[in-house]
Amino acid sequence: MFFGRKASSVSCFCRVLATIKNLKYPVVVSERRMSDSAAAATAHACSGPCTNPVYFTDTYLFNYDDAKIVKVEQQAGAGGDAVVLVTDKTIMHPQGGGQPSDQGTMTYSVDGADVVFQVQHVSKSKTGSEIQHTGALSAGSIDMLRVGNSVSMQVDEKVRRLHARLHSAGHLLDAAFNVLEVQDLIPSKGYHFPDGPYVEYIGNVATEERDAMIDRLNTVVTDLIKENIPTQVTCNDAGERIVNIAGCSCPCGGTHIKSTGEIVGMKVTRMKKNKKNIKVSYVIEDV
């Protein structure tokens, strides 16, 4: 079964809120209103089975034993039938907001027999209330997947850490633009997959100025990483989950690093005009 990759489109505005002191650079704190990510970060009402996104509480929670199956489905695909499980709680992040989904396993025993479900993809239902885990059984059979059964979840730690770093690097890029007081570029779209992450901004940087801008961004990014600034996660009065990385705040439903020091090796590599936007590509270490 093929799972598509998609950049996250965002509608946003930037508003100066404050400045952070005691850093090498005066970091401008900005707020982005984002259609997709704000919706992902906001609590939703459930009309059917509902999944509690426990991954919001801790990016580094890789094992979890307090979830129950609430729905089991089979889906036909080009690669054969796939199984879709919905649980009442999950530590697995669904694909969205420009971030790839987690991978991992769910395990439990039925009448002394082990059941092992390999989670290959995680997604949200159309209503947003269900988080769907798609994959295949490597031990056990479909009839052993029963509603009400408790399961243990294990997130692939290496994949989770990579995705958190890639996503957080996009936020750090926003912060670097703010430090440089670049106010005529508005974040528009993000793609935080390993095969070429980038952020697109509405606006432009003149061709002859791009190399110098990349150098300036990389200087600021390197310093912000050295500062090892802690990530802050809060909720606003509207119930949105607000993530602040290096002084740049926005509603976001992704997984993130504990501090900027974990994005070691981040480097802005290219600026390219894409229709009305400027596409800013970056890499991080070990990718």
Side-chain angles (χ1 to χ4, degrees), residues 174-201:
D174 291 346
F177 273 117
N178 284 339
V179 168
L180 294 174
E181 299 183 350
V182 177
Q183 300 179 359
D184 53 352
L185 295 180
I186 301 174
S188 171
K189 183 185 297 184
Y191 181 83
H192 310 299
F193 286 73
D195 62 335
Y198 64 83
V199 178
E200 282 193 9
Y201 296 85

Side-chain angles (χ1 to χ4, degrees), residues 80-92:
D81 289 346
V83 178
V84 179
L85 292 185
V86 178
T87 53
D88 64 341
K89 304 171 188 175
T90 187
I91 56 171
M92 298 191 186

Side-chain angles (χ1 to χ4, degrees), residues 119-189:
V119 180
Q120 300 162 345
H121 187 73
V122 187
S123 59
K124 281 195 171 185
S125 63
K126 291 182 179 179
T127 64
S129 62
E130 296 178 4
I131 296 178
Q132 302 168 331
H133 309 80
T134 303
L137 288 161
S138 59
S141 57
I142 185 68
D143 61 291
M144 298 171 72
L145 297 174
R146 302 168 187 170
V147 172
N149 280 7
S150 296
V151 297
S152 295
M153 295 183 174
Q154 300 83 37
V155 171
D156 186 315
E157 180 177 346
K158 184 177 180 180
V159 171
R160 161 65 68 80
R161 287 181 180 273
L162 173 61
H163 292 173
R165 292 174 65 224
L166 284 166
H167 191 153
S168 299
H171 287 254
L172 194 64
L173 181 59
D174 291 346
F177 273 117
N178 284 339
V179 168
L180 294 174
E181 299 183 350
V182 177
Q183 300 179 359
D184 53 352
L185 295 180
I186 301 174
S188 171
K189 183 185 297 184

Side-chain angles (χ1 to χ4, degrees), residues 18-265:
T19 57
I20 289 182
K21 299 178 180 179
N22 300 322
L23 297 178
K24 182 174 180 179
Y25 292 96
V27 181
V28 178
V29 181
S30 66
E31 181 179 41
R32 292 192 293 169
R33 295 286 182 184
M34 299 194 278
S35 56
D36 292 350
S37 295
T42 303
H44 44 256
C46 301
S47 57
C50 185
T51 308
N52 179 3
V54 179
Y55 56 83
F56 275 170
T57 64
D58 187 357
T59 290
Y60 302 87
L61 183 60
F62 305 119
N63 298 281
Y64 191 67
D65 297 323
D66 189 26
K68 291 183 179 180
I69 298 173
V70 296
K71 190 175 181 180
V72 182
E73 290 183 344
Q74 280 187 286
Q75 290 183 350
D81 289 346
V83 178
V84 179
L85 292 185
V86 178
T87 53
D88 64 341
K89 304 171 188 175
T90 187
I91 56 171
M92 298 191 186
H93 184 277
Q95 180 172 314
Q99 178 174 330
S101 87
D102 278 330
Q103 300 169 22
T105 59
M106 294 188 196
T107 58
Y108 67 99
S109 296
V110 176
D111 301 326
D114 291 333
V115 178
V116 180
F117 179 65
Q118 302 291 339
V119 180
Q120 300 162 345
H121 187 73
V122 187
S123 59
K124 281 195 171 185
S125 63
K126 291 182 179 179
T127 64
S129 62
E130 296 178 4
I131 296 178
Q132 302 168 331
H133 309 80
T134 303
L137 288 161
S138 59
S141 57
I142 185 68
D143 61 291
M144 298 171 72
L145 297 174
R146 302 168 187 170
V147 172
N149 280 7
S150 296
V151 297
S152 295
M153 295 183 174
Q154 300 83 37
V155 171
D156 186 315
E157 180 177 346
K158 184 177 180 180
V159 171
R160 161 65 68 80
R161 287 181 180 273
L162 173 61
H163 292 173
R165 292 174 65 224
L166 284 166
H167 191 153
S168 299
H171 287 254
L172 194 64
L173 181 59
D174 291 346
F177 273 117
N178 284 339
V179 168
L180 294 174
E181 299 183 350
V182 177
Q183 300 179 359
D184 53 352
L185 295 180
I186 301 174
S188 171
K189 183 185 297 184
Y191 181 83
H192 310 299
F193 286 73
D195 62 335
Y198 64 83
V199 178
E200 282 193 9
Y201 296 85
I202 299 171
N204 190 29
V205 176
T207 303
E208 65 274 13
E209 298 175 2
R210 290 175 190 170
D211 286 345
M213 178 65 75
I214 288 173
D215 289 342
R216 293 170 66 202
L217 285 169
N218 281 327
T219 297
V220 174
V221 162
T222 298
D223 284 329
L224 292 176
I225 290 171
K226 288 179 180 178
E227 291 276 355
N228 200 26
I229 304 164
T231 299
Q232 298 176 339
V233 180
T234 58
C235 280
N236 64 15
D237 292 340
E240 295 173 329
R241 178 176 181 262
I242 306 299
V243 176
N244 182 307
I245 292 181
C248 187
S249 293
C250 67
C252 187
T255 56
H256 295 286
I257 43 82
K258 289 181 180 178
S259 60
T260 57
E262 295 182 41
I263 321 177
V264 61

